[in-house]
Amino acid sequence: MNRKTYRLCLIVLIVSAVVSGVFYYRFSQEKHAVPKEATFVSCPLTGSDFA
């Protein structure tokens, strides 16, 4: 293969790495932004609880 083919393969490899990195970053940030497993504790404040 000549130099032109190597350059083309290198450019395609770099572009695909950048694109896959951007997609990975976006999807991993969306996954961590909203917790799926969480515990919500509600404590109603009433007068009888404190007596």
Side-chain angles (χ1 to χ4, degrees), residues 15-48:
V15 168
S16 65
V18 168
V19 169
S20 63
V22 167
F23 278 118
Y24 175 76
Y25 178 75
R26 288 183 57 107
F27 287 124
S28 69
Q29 290 298 320
E30 287 177 6
K31 195 181 295 183
H32 294 296
V34 179
K36 292 186 178 183
E37 294 183 19
T39 304
F40 179 72
V41 178
S42 176
C43 294
L45 298 175
T46 60
S48 62

